[in-house]
Amino acid sequence: MNKPTAAITAVGGYVPETKLTNFDLEKMVETNDEWIRSRTGIEERRILKEPGKASSDMAVPAIQEILRKKNMDPKEIDCIICATVTPDMTFPATAVIIADKIGATNAWGFDLSAACSGFLFALSTGAMYIESGRFKNIIVVGVDKMSAIIDYTDRATCIIFGDGAGAVLLQPSTDENGIKDSILKSDGSGRDFLHIKAGGSLKPATIETVMAKEHYAFQEGQTVFKFAVKGMADVSAELLERNNLTGDDIDWLVPHQANLRIIDATANRMGLAKEKVMINIQKYGNTTAATLPLCLWDWESKLKKGDNIVLAAFGGGFTWGATLVKWAY
Ligand code: UT7
């Protein structure tokens, strides 16, 4: 029996209404619109600011959009994989909270932590469950409420990140379209450059760690930038080569939205024209695990069955990778 191929058959997304613009940030830290736009490409980001709202509250409407589009009962979902670094709580997993909130009473689920590569890793994981033949309907959701872990007095991080959620439905493909290949990598020696110092088992939260702001994300931007430019471009080029493809064969690049300069470097390395690159960093900033599905969400109406799409990401860990998808609808 032939192994089924996993295909993305629907996309949903959600971003909060509240916008945090570069001009707002000018009033909060020593920065300016011109610097942020020229160094990152970001103009504004969305912030989930209602008290009592968490990552799951963004994932839920993203998944409900899929259920509406597919006229699907939540009870048909077999599994929810939630990629996030900002879970509602350290445990239980946000995936099971999402399942409860949407009424996916037949689903099992778990969270996957791979920072900005989380969605890519989760997509590959979900695809393997479909390919095994054991499951038919898998939701992969990338969600982050980065505003929960950002210090809005630290200009090195607060200008970059935003909140959002994007989800896809994975089902067995009815033709040759679907998820074709992935190259996924990690190097934990990169942990020094992008992390949260306290609140884990290494350094549990205390009054002192909170006073020292160690519960916020720390990033050594320049170092991460150098690794990201090389990592994302190299792995994308390797994926093309392994599949005997060139930039001409690719219809769309879906890059992690961390910095416009990293995106440009990857597109150049792949020999791709700018029109083939999905870029929405200007309006959402870096939403960590949500960037890739939010691109698919924004571009869904432009995608055609059979399009060759490369998704590429780089993030904390370090983690990085690229996935080749033949669009299925
Ligand atoms: O998504 C997960 C992975 N993360 C990434 O891929 C992010 C990678 N890193 C980056 O995108 C960039 O490193 C940043 C956007 C974070 C920073 O840009 P940069 O071009 O690397 O800036 P820099 O840290 O080298 O700083 C350049 C200058 C410095 O001033 P001097 O020393 O040249 O006078 C900084 O003090 O810009 C200054 N600066 C700022 N100025 C205004 C740093 N941050 C700011 C700011 N506003 N927010």
Side-chain angles (χ1 to χ4, degrees), residues 30-32 35 39-40 116 155-156 159-161 194 219 221-222 224-225 228 256 258-259 261-262 286 314-316:
E30 187 64 41
T31 192
N32 59 78
W35 191 96
R39 293 288 180 130
T40 70
C116 298
R155 71 176 185 175
I159 57 142
I160 301 169
F161 293 102
L194 182 49
Q219 176 171 248
Q222 262 188 15
V224 179
F225 184 89
H256 174 50
N259 189 313
R261 291 179 288 149
I262 301 172
N286 181 349
F314 187 95

Side-chain angles (χ1 to χ4, degrees), residues 47-301:
I47 303 294
L48 183 65
K49 74 171 209 303
E50 289 77 18
K53 295 283 181 194
S55 288
S56 66
D57 296 300
M58 295 189 287
V60 164
I63 297 168
Q64 282 171 336
E65 182 183 333
I66 290 177
L67 297 175
R68 258 194 326 274
K69 282 175 174 168
K70 300 297 283 184
N71 197 16
M72 197 171 156
D73 190 311
K75 292 188 179 60
E76 292 174 57
I77 299 171
D78 296 314
C79 173
I80 297 173
I81 308 177
C82 176
T84 187
V85 290
T86 52
D88 288 18
M89 294 180 265
T90 305
F91 76 89
T94 303
V96 303
I97 299 171
I98 294 168
D100 177 52
K101 287 184 176 177
I102 64 173
T105 47
N106 293 318
W108 62 291
F110 60 94
D111 289 1
L112 190 151
S113 170
C116 298
S117 309
F119 180 80
L120 207 61
F121 287 17
L123 188 68
S124 235
T125 307
M128 285 186 268
Y129 288 128
I130 299 281
E131 289 160 9
S132 76
R134 284 188 62 183
F135 300 103
K136 300 264 181 293
N137 296 307
I138 295 199
I139 292 284
V140 176
V141 57
V143 58
D144 271 299
K145 183 187 168 186
M146 294 305 290
S147 61
I149 56 166
I150 292 300
D151 172 6
Y152 285 94
T153 65
D154 175 13
R155 71 176 185 175
T157 51
C158 74
I159 57 142
I160 301 169
F161 293 102
D163 302 341
V168 299
L169 175 65
L170 288 178
Q171 294 182 306
S173 178
T174 50
D175 49 34
E176 90 286 8
N177 295 319
I179 293 165
K180 306 303 275 187
D181 194 15
S182 279
I183 302 177
L184 306 175
K185 302 192 183 234
S186 63
D187 176 1
S189 68
R191 65 188 178 278
D192 291 345
F193 310 109
L194 182 49
H195 58 241
I196 295 181
K197 293 184 194 308
S201 59
L202 175 66
K203 197 173 192 185
T206 62
I207 288 171
E208 287 74 27
T209 64
V210 173
M211 295 303 286
K213 300 185 172 185
E214 291 178 342
H215 55 300
Y216 289 129
F218 164 86
Q219 176 171 248
E220 203 179 292
Q222 262 188 15
T223 310
V224 179
F225 184 89
K226 280 182 207 145
F227 279 96
V229 163
K230 186 163 168 17
M232 212 160 97
D234 280 357
V235 79
S236 303
E238 191 184 337
L239 185 74
L240 291 192
E241 212 172 300
R242 183 156 104 173
N243 287 277
N244 295 315
L245 299 169
T246 69
D248 291 342
D249 303 310
I250 300 303
D251 298 289
W252 295 101
L253 170 65
V254 189
H256 174 50
Q257 312 280 309
N259 189 313
L260 196 51
R261 291 179 288 149
I262 301 172
I263 297 172
D264 288 345
T266 303
N268 286 341
R269 181 72 184 283
M270 294 170 72
L272 280 189
K274 194 128 197 183
E275 307 78 67
K276 292 180 170 182
V277 185
M278 296 187 191
I279 296 170
N280 57 16
I281 192 171
Q282 71 283 356
K283 51 181 186 170
Y284 306 142
N286 181 349
T287 55
T288 303
T291 59
L292 300 183
L294 279 176
C295 280
L296 295 175
W297 185 55
D298 276 351
W299 266 262
E300 189 187 20
S301 63

